[in-house]
Amino acid sequence: MTKRLKAAAVAATLGFFALGAVPSTAKADEPYWQCVTFARMFSGINIFGDAWTWWRQATANFRTGKAPETGSVLVFRPEGRMSRGHVAVVSDILTDRVVRVTHANWGGSRGKVEENVTVVDVSPANDWSQVKVWYNPI
């Protein structure tokens, strides 16, 4: 029940706390979300800076680990076009190797929030060091 209430509260406040530029294709009244701004607000974890720095910053102040938990932040290291990394909030645990995340500014959903996106651990050691993120168009 508290998870639903928290989600409802976040949904109700999304329009009030959006930061960032609005691209010319967006409607003026739609917020443009960056992943770090959204993850900070949605998770309550007060870390600032590029997404790739969150893991290092978290080790000094938060509990970290190699097994995602609901409400935790999944940190992606920089790679390819994702030069600043990415962060996503774990919204549900489906199995020990499959979770759902809620995140912003991913793939073709620039500036938008995507809810309950499937992420699969494909690492040989089952340590979440390599993942595949569901992206609807492909």
Side-chain angles (χ1 to χ4, degrees), residues 6-19 31 33-48 54 71 73 87 89 102 104 113:
K6 182 178 179 182
V10 168
T13 59
L14 284 176
F16 298 110
F17 295 102
L19 298 175
W33 286 101
Q34 296 292 340
C35 68
V36 293
T37 305
F38 179 79
R40 183 173 41 252
M41 189 194 80
F42 193 70
S43 70
I45 296 174
N46 237 359
I47 294 180
F48 294 81
W54 278 44
V73 175
V87 287
V89 180
T102 297
V113 173

Side-chain angles (χ1 to χ4, degrees), residues 2 5 7 20 33 38 51 58-59 61-62 66 71 73 89 98 130 134:
T2 58
L5 289 174
W33 286 101
F38 179 79
T59 57
N61 301 303
F62 297 95
K66 295 184 179 186
V73 175
V89 180
V98 181
Q130 296 176 322
W134 176 261

Side-chain angles (χ1 to χ4, degrees), residues 10 25 27 39 44 48 50 55 60 62-63 74 95 106 117 119 124 137:
V10 168
T25 59
K27 296 178 186 166
F48 294 81
D50 290 340
W55 182 264
F62 297 95
R63 189 168 49 90
L74 190 60
T95 72
W106 178 264
V117 176
V119 178

Side-chain angles (χ1 to χ4, degrees), residues 81-82 86 103-111 114 135 137:
R81 290 182 24 214
M82 197 172 55
H86 184 69
H103 62 166
N105 204 23
W106 178 264
S109 297
R110 288 286 182 219
E114 293 180 303
Y135 179 56

Side-chain angles (χ1 to χ4, degrees), residues 78-134:
E79 191 171 303
R81 290 182 24 214
M82 197 172 55
S83 63
R84 294 183 182 179
H86 184 69
V87 287
V89 180
V90 177
S91 50
D92 199 10
I93 307 291
L94 301 179
T95 72
D96 65 334
R97 294 189 78 138
V98 181
V99 300
R100 287 199 175 127
V101 299
T102 297
H103 62 166
N105 204 23
W106 178 264
S109 297
R110 288 286 182 219
K112 303 278 187 225
V113 173
E114 293 180 303
E115 296 182 75
N116 298 317
V117 176
T118 302
V119 178
V120 179
D121 172 22
V122 295
S123 64
N126 191 23
D127 63 2
W128 290 87
S129 60
Q130 296 176 322
V131 298
K132 293 209 180 240
V133 179
W134 176 261

